[in-house]
Amino acid sequence: MAKIAADQIEKYGAPITLSHATGSGQFDPVSRRTSPVVAKYTGKGVSQKIGAGEVNGTSIQAGDRRLIVAAIVVPFVPSPNDSVVVDGAIWNVSHVATESAQGVAVTHELLIRK
């Protein structure tokens, strides 16, 4: 199932770039900050509008979108506070749900917000 999902997302999805902080990097003595190490996935995802009936004003807000990516091609598990570029716009990940079949991750469904 994971392969079928990946093939369909590759066929019907739009280009995305998903950025995920994986740890802290080098300390910059000038800015006095440590920059995060960021893993990136550039590939495809399927973006969908959130239905009006799903909006609750707190965890799901008007303007949020759902982004589905294939779990077998993303080299990390996305998490809240990751960022993603979809259709040229930067979105923040607010929630992630992983759909599995027989113990194998098939897709990651991300709730994204500007």
Side-chain angles (χ1 to χ4, degrees):
M1 265 188 103
K3 175 76 170 111
I4 293 169
D7 290 345
Q8 293 300 304
I9 291 170
E10 180 63 28
K11 184 175 181 179
Y12 297 108
I16 65 162
T17 300
L18 180 61
S19 300
H20 175 73
T22 60
S24 49
Q26 297 286 353
F27 177 74
D28 181 349
V30 176
S31 68
R32 302 177 78 100
R33 295 182 181 184
T34 303
S35 57
V37 175
V38 177
K40 289 192 177 194
Y41 162 72
T42 300
K44 293 199 174 176
V46 176
S47 176
Q48 304 170 331
K49 291 181 180 179
I50 298 292
E54 296 178 85
V55 174
N56 62 19
T58 54
S59 61
I60 302 175
Q61 300 176 7
D64 287 356
R65 293 188 68 87
R66 179 179 293 113
L67 179 67
I68 301 169
V69 296
I72 63 171
V73 298
V74 179
F76 50 82
V77 176
S79 61
N81 298 320
D82 286 354
S83 64
V84 61
V85 177
V86 180
D87 296 327
I90 299 173
W91 297 75
N92 294 311
V93 176
S94 63
H95 179 77
V96 178
T98 300
E99 300 297 329
S100 301
Q102 298 178 344
V104 176
V106 177
T107 61
H108 299 300
E109 185 176 298
L110 288 60
L111 182 64
I112 59 176
R113 156 177 316 145
K114 283 189 179 179

